[in-house]
Amino acid sequence: CDCRKPKAGLVLQAARDLGFDPGQSFVIGDKPADLGLGRSVGAVPILVRTGYGRETEQTADPKPDLAADNLAHAARLIEARLARPEGGGSGSDSDPNSR
């Protein structure tokens, strides 16, 4: 089924139904399938180190664009990314104010 992560089916359906661009979005998760989903729709994948996240960080393929200690930290990373003049996009980031 194309609705199971990391396949993009549900995200693409939601994008059509709700009128958003997945390529201008973020996907937050703690498993490789979450990161793969982010990559497959052109979103910025963010790994959270909660749940399975610490284990995933050691072995993840694909690698996340960003990594956060928890969901609140992920939100701060997103805010910082959106505050940049170019407003987002993929690419590697480091956050000097990460903690």
Side-chain angles (χ1 to χ4, degrees), residues 8-90:
L10 285 179
V11 170
L12 297 177
Q13 179 182 342
R16 282 190 302 273
D17 293 349
L18 301 172
F20 70 91
D21 178 1
Q24 297 296 314
S25 301
F26 298 83
V27 173
I28 301 170
D30 66 342
K31 295 182 181 175
D34 302 320
L35 304 175
L37 173 64
R39 289 267 181 252
S40 72
V41 298
V44 175
I46 302 174
L47 175 74
V48 287
R49 295 182 181 110
T50 56
Y52 296 100
R54 290 205 186 276
E55 178 182 331
T56 298
E57 188 171 31
Q58 302 303 313
T59 61
D61 185 27
K63 297 288 186 198
D65 283 8
L66 304 168
D69 292 328
N70 52 46
L71 192 55
H73 181 201
R76 289 192 304 273
L77 293 175
I78 291 169
E79 288 175 334
R81 173 70 70 97
L82 294 175
R84 292 190 334 210
E86 62 274 9
S90 294

